[in-house]
Amino acid sequence: MKKIISTDKAPAAIGPYSQAIEVNGMVFTSGVIPVNPATGHIPEGIQAQADQAIGNLCALVEEAGCKVEDVIKTTVFIQNMDDFSTVNEVYSKYFTKECPARSCVEVARLPKDVLIEIEAIVLKK
C-alpha cells in the first residue's frame, strides 16, 4: 500500500510525479530543487540554493511524519563539482549526527536551471 506525501512547504511537482511516496515504512522523495514554495523565487548562488533545497527537503520529510535524523540516504545533484565543499558546508547544518549515506554527482542541467537538486530515502519510525 502506498501513500502520497504532499506539502505546500516544499515546491510543487512540476510534472507527472509526487513530491514523495510512503510504502512499507519507507519514504522516497522526488528530487527537490531550491524554489521558495511561498514565492516561487529561486535564490542566487550555490550556498543560498543549497540552503533552500535542503530546507525544502526537510519540510517534505517532516510532512511525512519523520525527522531529518530518519533520513538514511540522500542523492545530491549539482551542476558544478567545484561547488562540492560549499554544498557540504550547508549540508552539515542539516545533517549533524549519524549522517545518512550519500551520493553526489555533477550533472549537465537541472530543472529551472538551478544549481542543486536533492532527494532522500527515509526510514519512518
Side-chain angles (χ1 to χ4, degrees):
M1 189 116 177
K2 70 180 180 179
K3 176 183 175 187
I4 305 297
I5 308 296
S6 180
T7 181
D8 59 4
K9 294 178 183 169
I14 55 176
Y17 60 89
S18 300
Q19 287 175 306
I21 301 283
E22 179 184 340
V23 63
N24 296 331
M26 302 285 292
V27 177
F28 302 85
T29 76
S30 292
V32 181
I33 60 174
V35 174
N36 180 311
T39 66
H41 175 72
I42 298 170
E44 293 292 322
I46 188 61
Q47 187 165 3
Q49 286 195 19
D51 194 48
Q52 182 71 59
I54 299 169
N56 290 343
L57 178 73
C58 291
L60 188 53
V61 166
E62 290 170 8
E63 182 66 27
C66 302
K67 298 177 183 172
V68 174
E69 294 82 15
D70 300 328
V71 174
I72 58 172
K73 171 77 166 84
T74 62
T75 305
V76 181
F77 306 92
I78 56 178
Q79 195 178 61
N80 186 337
M81 197 55 80
D82 290 339
D83 293 331
F84 185 78
S85 62
T86 302
V87 171
N88 268 344
E89 181 182 314
V90 175
Y91 188 94
S92 69
K93 292 188 326 186
Y94 292 90
F95 299 100
T96 58
K97 299 183 229 170
E98 298 181 9
C99 296
R102 182 181 80 180
S103 300
C104 183
V105 296
E106 180 180 84
V107 295
R109 193 164 180 208
L110 291 164
K112 297 188 180 259
D113 291 320
V114 298
L115 304 174
I116 184 172
E117 181 173 7
I118 184 169
E119 64 183 25
I121 300 171
V122 188
L123 179 60
K124 191 163 185 175
K125 294 181 181 178

